[in-house]
Amino acid sequence: MTARPVRVICCGQIVMDHSFNVDEIEAAPSKVTARRYHAGVGGMSAHAAIAVARLGGEVSFWGRVGDDQAGEELAAAMAAEGVEISGLKRLAGAQTPLSAVIVDKRGERSIVTYRGNGLSTETDWLPLEALDGAGAVLCDPRWTQGTAAVFAAARARGVASVLDAEKSEMRVLLDLVPLVDHAIFAAPGLRIFAGISNPAEGLKRALASGPLKLAAVTRGEDGTLWLAPGMSRPVELPAFKVVATNTTGAGDVFHGAYALAIAEGQSTAQALRFASAAGALRARDGETPTRAMVDGLLSGG
Ligand SMILES: Nc1ncnc2c1ncn2[C@@H]1O[C@H](COP(=O)(O)OP(=O)(O)OP(=O)(O)O)[C@@H](O)[C@H]1O
Ligand SMILES: [Mg+2]
């Protein structure tokens, strides 16, 4: 581990999440009263960037919002978390992505996402030279062109890259997975990528698709399955036992924590354990944990 903070770059999705807590998510047609409401930063890479900051890393976020109110509020919220946002592009006339997140009393969530409008897919403005000296990059599949450009530039510089391989179009996953060093799938993302439901076989296919150092799949409270070159079969990493109150964003926090740990020079196995602790605390509290909280859980506290 290094003494000074390492730098991570997160690039991809940023969304204004409108979160409603309800007792039960009823089948449609329904009218339900929420017990609590709040609006805040959502989106895989944006959420992961906040996790990196809270866990003690230096972090920049690159992505796109509109020049509307949601875009302005997201920029302010990211800056308030200590995320460097000079690479957060505000596109004239575009609409910022929005989500409705409905969380039930068991902490399970349903999400409706509007992916925005007029968000140009151009990548020529990305400050790729800022990858020099970075410890790791983390991207997601929602802006394919941006992710492909960042992964290519990271590979050219020898900067470690991580993909949050969430549920997406199959083509997008087939294009992006071979470009990355560490592909960490959500369970539906792996099924779509591999076209089969057997996760062990899916991970083997992912690893064989390019010069990957890791293929893994997160499975909520059932833990993480991972495979690295030279291993004959995937290994299970059990989840930390917690009582979940809100599982929204556990995967995003897991990915941010993993990227930071890799940037710090932790081994794959250590980084996965660190990420798993961060994800479990996020599911327990519905809040992104600090470094001290993660270290406490890792040392048995
Ligand atoms: N209920 C839980 N108990 C313990 N750990 C959890 C729980 N939920 C999530 N985690 C941890 O976080 C990791 C990522 O969670 P999960 O697999 O649910 O992500 P996801 O499907 O990408 O969801 P999202 O992107 O909405 O956060 C899990 O592999 C696990 O380590
Ligand atoms: Mg996820």
Side-chain angles (χ1 to χ4, degrees), residues 28 58 79 108 128 158 164 183 215 219 228 238 240 253 259 263 274 280 283:
E58 268 179 30
E108 284 302 339
L128 296 174
D164 183 344
R219 299 173 307 165
F240 286 87
V253 168
F274 181 77

Side-chain angles (χ1 to χ4, degrees), residues 44 109 164 166 186 218 250-252 255:
M44 292 168 252
R109 83 285 187 268
D164 183 344
E166 257 290 355
T218 69
D252 308 336
H255 287 83

